[in-house]
Amino acid sequence: MSDHTVMCDKSFKLLQSENRKVRKQNLDQLSTVVGDEKFEVSPDFMLAVKTFVYPCLNDGSEACRETAVQLVRTLVCAGCVEDIAPIVFVIHKRMGNVSMLESSEEVKLLYVQLLRDIIKNYEQLIFPCLDDIISILTKSILDSCPAVKKDSCLCAAELASATKANFHMVADLLIEPLLKAINYHQSAVRYTAIQSLNYVIMYSNGKQVPEVCTSISSRLFDQNVAVRLALCRVVSNWMLNLRDRYSYFPKLIPLILTAQVDDHLPNREEAERLWDEIGNQYINENEVQLKEKLDFLPDNLDHYPPNVKRPNLGCRTLVTREVLKLLPVIIRELDDWKEDISIKSGQLLCVVALNAENSIIQHLNQLLTAMTKCCRQPNHVAANHVRRGAEIMSYFISPSIYLKFLIPTMSDTEPHVGHMIILSGLLKNVNSIELSTHVKSIITFLEKPEICEVYDPLFKKYLLQVIEYVLVACESECQELSYELFKIYITVQSTTLDSFDNNFIFKKLINMCEPKTKEQLFKTHGEKLLNELNDSCDSWVVHSPGRDVLDKIAVDAEQVVLSCYEVYRQILTKTLYNLDKDPKFLMKMLININTCVDKDIFNDKQLWQILSGIVFPILTWRPGKTAESLRAASCLCAQIISKKFTCFDETMLNLSFPIFLALADDNHCKTRAYALDTLHSLVCAAKNLDKVNADIINNITRVALARLNDNPGNTRFKAINLIKATYSQPLPNDYLVHYEAHVGQLYKTVVIFLDDQDIQQSILDLLKELSWMKPDILIKHINVNVFSHKHFAQNLMDYLSDNLSQITLHNNITE
């Protein structure tokens, strides 16, 4: 022991050396001695430490300061120090002044750790040094070194716990640095700062709680899961244990409720558990005031969201008390330009709705306005949460309350998808008994043109959802409104490609009929709907909803046209009589006719009425490219109709031939092609009736031969087929006798095209088929040598030579 004493005395004296290496060497020796288990610290030794070692805490050499701090820490932890003031004084001098002297991060960290050791081991000696320690921590918490910041936060928490009785006098000084540390970029520092703030607030006077709540709320959006969980636990601890905590609940409740919508499931579960604990404590502390509710209010409700635990009475009471303060914030932040805030606000709405239940109606008008505005952009992530909030609210709020806000709003302003999303959400889980008295007003409102004729596809989607939810809840009340529902449904579906058959609403409408068939549904409501369309069709344009409805009827409800043909024809007559209307609109109406004709629902008489009374007037020649295109479309319509006739009569043929013969010379290639197809159908029908005469044959020949020069070739092939059908057997009696020259000219003209590479094979086949009439005349018009492609002409010559006698004999028999 004496050896140690001699060595220590020498080392203490050498600590005053001007050589830093000597000082460092002797500090190391003292550290070695103190670290020896056999060494016993005497009062004289500690006096020497105070005299010679404490000044080294402020040594000019970083290495000396570092070793001195470590030596002092060893003595502090061993409980050998009797007076901590000199130590704190030196640390304060290095770190607590306005201009910090200490530049080494390692030494600063050691200073803070030394302070922590002092606080842990000398609680009873701290109070005289409290101001200096606070001064040190206010600087070190804001230090640029993360390790220093983190240990300083821990030191603040330990100081608060160690000086509970007096800490309230200085707590306010630490709050601002801690709030800044909470926003530090390293999550470990943020986590520690939140934990420290918990103790600082717990042992403060509480005046800073509102300011702190406002500042820490941003950490609810922290990217680190542990930070968010720490904040949740801190807030719940304040709500459970803070003095005068009820006065701070308006600020604390939004935080704990928001924690319940955390993205991380374990965090949400922990927040819900803590919230339940807070509610139970509130019940226990206010049992007298809540006695009546506890005795008479049911714990569970029959009409309640499934798979959701109802918050206890304490939780519901707390939210009800604060709902008037919570809702304005939610309303404001739903429209926040920061997406994450808007999303959290939407999520918070769901939690508030679940806890507040029917007390949420106190701000319902403004809340519904904010909700519909948020959902006006359905791609906004917050819209999904707002819709979920509406679904929760539907369990607790009567339709009579929210309908008196929503429906007038939609009537007074332009309805948009946000209105319909919220309305459908509120009706999704509605109580059928409460809704039953409002079914008629809802359906009547939705039937209005400004609602059911909105073009927005999303609006229509949610409108159908509203109808579906009403049908599910009150099917019997909807029975007498089946026509209105049918009209809404077919109007909404008119601009979609969806089929009727598999839709829930359509199936429900069918079940309202007797017998329960689709045909009966159309028969029951079709005529009334077509009559309404007939009343308004004079003013239709290409995008009129009524025209879309008529198209949908043609595509999916052709039975309506079948059973109400006269009304349908009146609509066509009114809409197509004025050819100066928008050509696109007229085209759409012609397409509608084509669709119905393709369904095979018209008889010959009806087909002729449409063709002669509606289509023929459009085929009249008028100048201009637009009229030309319209003529082509109507000619196609006429061609489709002509193919559907089962039998023509002579009057039809006599009226039709001149029109299509003229159209076969039209400037538009498609019109000519459609006209040739129609003439083909007319010729075949005339031959079946034996009504083909020489004039018809000669006129058809004229226009068909002219079309052989057409381009593109599609029309030329149609002309070839028409000639073939025209001169197929039988021909009128004596035609070949009186019109031999005509037949010869036909041969002469057609033979020329044997050299046309595009159609020469078809011309060869045609001439072979026409050769039965006058093969001897045909062969005279063929000179193989004049053709570029001699093999086609030679092929025809060989055919005629081989079959001439047989064809002539057959021709003589026929004549």
Side-chain angles (χ1 to χ4, degrees):
M1 185 67 185
S2 59
D3 294 339
H4 282 160
T5 303
V6 172
M7 185 180 66
C8 289
D9 289 343
K10 182 180 179 181
S11 296
F12 284 135
K13 292 176 181 178
L14 290 174
L15 290 179
Q16 294 178 312
S17 171
E18 294 183 359
N19 190 323
R20 63 184 179 183
K21 289 183 179 180
V22 173
R23 296 197 302 275
K24 173 70 168 63
Q25 183 178 2
N26 285 275
L27 284 169
D28 287 336
Q29 288 179 356
L30 287 170
S31 296
T32 303
V33 170
V34 171
D36 190 343
E37 294 179 357
K38 297 179 180 180
F39 179 74
E40 293 183 7
V41 178
S42 65
D44 292 338
F45 180 84
M46 288 306 302
L47 180 62
V49 167
K50 183 176 181 181
T51 305
F52 300 107
V53 177
Y54 287 0
C56 291
L57 294 173
N58 190 33
D59 196 278
S61 168
E62 178 182 335
C64 292
R65 293 197 305 276
E66 184 175 349
T67 308
V69 173
Q70 290 171 339
L71 173 59
V72 174
R73 284 191 67 192
T74 304
L75 294 170
V76 166
C77 292
C80 301
V81 177
E82 294 182 356
D83 185 8
I84 64 170
I87 303 174
V88 174
F89 174 78
V90 175
I91 299 174
H92 181 269
K93 184 177 181 180
R94 298 295 302 181
M95 294 183 63
N97 290 321
V98 176
S99 58
M100 185 179 290
L101 294 178
E102 187 57 60
S103 59
S104 170
E105 292 182 351
E106 290 79 5
V107 176
K108 284 190 285 189
L109 180 59
L110 287 172
Y111 283 148
V112 175
Q113 290 172 345
L114 175 56
L115 275 181
R116 293 183 65 190
D117 292 336
I118 291 172
I119 292 169
K120 288 176 185 177
N121 292 280
Y122 301 95
E123 290 184 11
Q124 68 280 6
L125 302 178
I126 293 174
F127 181 69
C129 306
L130 190 58
D131 289 340
D132 284 346
I133 296 175
I134 292 295
S135 178
I136 295 166
L137 291 177
T138 55
K139 304 293 188 305
S140 61
I141 289 173
L142 298 177
D143 194 83
S144 59
C145 176
V148 174
K149 293 174 79 73
K150 185 177 177 181
D151 267 54
S152 298
C153 291
L154 293 173
C155 185
E158 292 162 356
L159 178 66
S161 299
T163 59
K164 298 175 184 177
N166 303 307
F167 186 74
H168 64 277
M169 296 186 292
V170 293
D172 290 356
L173 298 173
L174 289 176
I175 288 175
E176 184 178 349
L178 286 172
L179 290 178
K180 290 180 179 179
I182 283 173
N183 295 314
Y184 192 68
H185 63 85
Q186 284 193 8
S187 60
V189 173
R190 298 198 301 273
Y191 177 86
T192 307
I194 289 173
Q195 298 281 27
S196 300
L197 190 63
N198 174 39
Y199 291 96
V200 171
I201 290 294
M202 281 299 301
Y203 303 118
S204 70
N205 56 25
K207 294 180 180 179
Q208 296 276 6
V209 172
E211 178 191 342
V212 168
C213 289
T214 303
S215 300
I216 65 175
S217 62
S218 61
R219 289 305 102 208
L220 293 169
F221 309 108
D222 199 286
Q223 294 180 346
N224 188 276
V225 173
V227 172
R228 299 199 303 270
L229 181 60
L231 179 59
C232 170
R233 287 172 173 166
V234 167
V235 169
S236 64
N237 182 54
W238 291 346
M239 295 185 74
L240 290 168
N241 301 308
L242 199 64
R243 291 189 296 271
D244 298 326
R245 54 187 172 275
Y246 288 168
S247 61
Y248 309 130
F249 272 21
K251 291 290 185 180
L252 294 170
I253 286 176
L255 299 181
I256 192 66
L257 292 179
T258 305
Q260 295 177 55
V261 295
D262 194 280
D263 297 332
H264 191 55
L265 178 59
N267 281 21
R268 290 201 302 273
E269 292 174 344
E270 177 71 0
E272 290 166 2
R273 183 190 68 79
L274 292 170
W275 175 236
D276 187 66
E277 186 179 338
I278 292 165
N280 285 325
Q281 178 176 294
Y282 182 80
I283 293 174
N284 294 332
E285 292 176 348
N286 298 272
E287 192 171 351
V288 176
Q289 295 89 327
L290 298 175
K291 186 176 188 310
E292 188 174 337
K293 291 182 179 181
L294 288 168
D295 291 342
F296 297 105
L297 287 182
D299 291 334
N300 299 306
L301 301 177
D302 295 333
H303 188 58
Y304 198 79
N307 304 318
V308 176
K309 181 184 176 183
R310 190 185 187 196
N312 61 54
L313 178 61
C315 297
R316 301 198 305 273
T317 304
L318 285 172
V319 173
T320 300
R321 284 175 50 190
E322 305 299 334
V323 73
L324 291 179
K325 299 173 184 175
L326 289 168
L327 289 181
V329 177
I330 292 174
I331 290 168
R332 182 177 67 252
E333 293 187 346
L334 277 177
D335 195 34
D336 197 277
W337 66 274
K338 291 183 179 179
E339 189 179 69
D340 54 350
I341 292 178
S342 181
I343 291 170
K344 283 294 181 184
S345 182
Q347 293 172 327
L348 181 58
L349 172 63
C350 297
V351 179
V352 171
L354 197 64
N355 283 271
E357 297 187 353
N358 60 357
S359 63
I360 207 168
I361 62 175
Q362 296 175 75
H363 267 288
L364 189 61
N365 193 11
Q366 298 93 319
L367 181 59
L368 289 176
T369 301
M371 291 168 71
T372 55
K373 185 177 180 182
C374 180
C375 290
R376 190 167 191 170
Q377 301 173 329
N379 57 339
H380 196 320
V381 182
N384 296 328
H385 303 297
V386 171
R387 162 64 188 243
R388 172 64 182 152
E391 292 175 5
I392 293 172
M393 289 160 59
S394 69
Y395 284 99
F396 310 115
I397 305 176
S398 170
S400 59
I401 296 174
Y402 56 74
L403 288 176
K404 73 179 180 182
F405 292 132
L406 270 179
I407 290 184
T409 301
M410 294 174 71
S411 299
D412 298 339
T413 61
E414 182 181 353
H416 54 75
V417 66
H419 292 125
M420 209 50 67
I421 288 175
I422 297 305
L423 180 58
S424 67
L426 289 169
L427 291 173
K428 183 176 182 179
N429 305 301
V430 69
N431 186 305
S432 57
I433 297 174
E434 293 181 348
L435 181 65
S436 58
T437 56
H438 302 282
V439 170
K440 186 172 183 178
S441 61
I442 293 173
I443 301 302
T444 304
F445 173 72
L446 297 179
E447 187 195 5
K448 292 181 178 181
E450 59 267 28
I451 302 297
C452 68
E453 293 179 0
V454 172
Y455 187 77
D456 182 1
L458 270 176
F459 185 94
K460 292 187 173 187
K461 171 188 172 182
Y462 288 104
L463 172 55
L464 289 181
Q465 257 189 25
V466 170
I467 299 295
E468 182 176 329
Y469 296 151
V470 172
L471 277 169
V472 169
C474 303
E475 185 174 352
S476 57
E477 286 80 3
C478 292
Q479 185 79 39
E480 62 183 31
L481 298 163
S482 60
Y483 171 72
E484 288 77 7
L485 291 170
F486 175 78
K487 180 183 176 182
I488 295 170
Y489 177 70
I490 201 169
T491 303
V492 170
Q493 292 285 64
S494 63
T495 53
T496 70
L497 298 176
D498 298 337
S499 175
F500 283 164
D501 295 344
N502 295 324
N503 189 279
F504 172 85
I505 298 173
F506 190 64
K507 291 177 181 177
K508 285 291 184 182
L509 290 172
I510 290 174
N511 286 335
M512 293 179 184
C513 298
E514 237 4 282
K516 303 181 189 305
T517 63
K518 179 169 70 173
E519 291 74 16
Q520 182 60 37
L521 174 65
F522 292 140
K523 183 178 179 181
T524 304
H525 301 308
E527 184 174 2
K528 184 176 180 180
L529 180 60
L530 274 186
N531 278 322
E532 289 187 11
L533 295 178
N534 189 24
D535 292 338
S536 64
C537 66
D538 288 333
S539 60
W540 284 359
V541 293
V542 66
H543 294 302
S544 292
R547 193 203 59 73
D548 290 331
V549 171
L550 191 67
D551 279 353
K552 193 64 175 178
I553 290 173
V555 172
D556 287 321
E558 65 274 10
Q559 294 92 338
V560 173
V561 177
L562 178 62
S563 59
C564 309
Y565 163 74
E566 284 301 326
V567 183
Y568 175 72
R569 188 165 68 88
Q570 289 175 24
I571 293 173
L572 296 181
T573 303
K574 288 181 180 180
T575 52
L576 290 170
Y577 83 96
N578 183 4
L579 300 184
D580 292 327
K581 281 188 174 183
D582 180 8
K584 291 182 180 179
F585 169 73
L586 298 175
M587 293 276 194
K588 291 285 188 181
M589 294 305 301
L590 288 171
I591 292 171
N592 185 282
I593 295 173
N594 293 345
T595 304
C596 289
V597 170
D598 280 337
K599 299 279 188 177
D600 293 324
I601 60 175
F602 299 125
N603 57 37
D604 284 354
K605 180 182 177 182
Q606 293 168 340
L607 287 171
W608 178 247
Q609 287 176 334
I610 294 172
L611 182 62
S612 61
I614 296 168
V615 180
F616 279 177
I618 308 175
L619 293 172
T620 305
W621 186 89
R622 291 189 306 148
K625 291 290 184 182
T626 301
E628 198 175 84
S629 298
L630 183 59
R631 212 161 41 248
S634 56
C635 195
L636 171 61
C637 183
Q639 176 213 343
I640 293 171
I641 293 173
S642 65
K643 288 182 178 179
K644 295 295 181 179
F645 277 101
T646 57
C647 182
F648 283 88
D649 60 30
E650 188 173 358
T651 303
M652 295 178 188
L653 294 173
N654 291 339
L655 288 173
S656 300
F657 269 118
I659 294 172
F660 292 101
L661 285 169
L663 290 169
D665 286 326
D666 196 88
N667 290 333
H668 201 294
C669 62
K670 288 186 177 181
T671 302
R672 297 196 298 272
Y674 300 144
L676 291 174
D677 278 339
T678 307
L679 286 170
H680 189 282
S681 300
L682 294 174
V683 166
C684 293
K687 281 186 174 289
N688 290 334
L689 295 173
D690 195 20
K691 297 297 181 182
V692 176
N693 56 45
D695 287 340
I696 292 175
I697 293 173
N698 295 340
N699 286 328
I700 288 175
T701 304
R702 174 184 57 79
V703 298
L705 290 177
R707 299 288 67 79
L708 290 178
N709 291 304
D710 268 13
N711 192 23
N714 185 42
T715 308
R716 305 167 79 187
F717 289 116
K718 292 180 182 294
I720 291 170
N721 290 332
L722 178 58
I723 294 172
K724 194 182 297 184
T726 303
Y727 287 97
S728 64
Q729 300 185 54
L731 290 178
N733 295 333
D734 300 330
Y735 179 80
L736 295 178
V737 175
H738 296 300
Y739 291 96
E740 183 176 317
H742 181 86
V743 174
Q745 186 62 38
L746 170 65
Y747 286 149
K748 182 179 179 180
T749 305
V750 174
V751 163
I752 295 171
F753 291 94
L754 272 176
D755 247 359
D756 191 319
Q757 294 184 36
D758 293 334
I759 59 172
Q760 55 193 180
Q761 183 61 53
S762 297
I763 290 293
L764 176 61
D765 296 338
L766 173 64
L767 287 170
K768 287 179 179 180
E769 292 199 30
L770 296 182
S771 64
W772 71 272
M773 295 184 292
K774 294 292 182 179
D776 52 333
I777 295 176
L778 175 57
I779 205 167
K780 291 177 183 179
H781 290 292
I782 303 172
N783 183 352
V784 176
N785 294 324
V786 302
F787 290 97
S788 300
H789 301 87
K790 294 181 175 58
H791 61 285
F792 282 98
Q794 188 61 54
N795 186 313
L796 181 58
M797 286 294 293
D798 293 344
Y799 175 82
L800 293 173
S801 299
D802 292 344
N803 299 285
L804 184 58
S805 58
Q806 183 178 351
I807 294 173
T808 304
L809 177 62
H810 177 75
N811 194 35
N812 290 336
I813 293 171
T814 303
E815 292 177 354

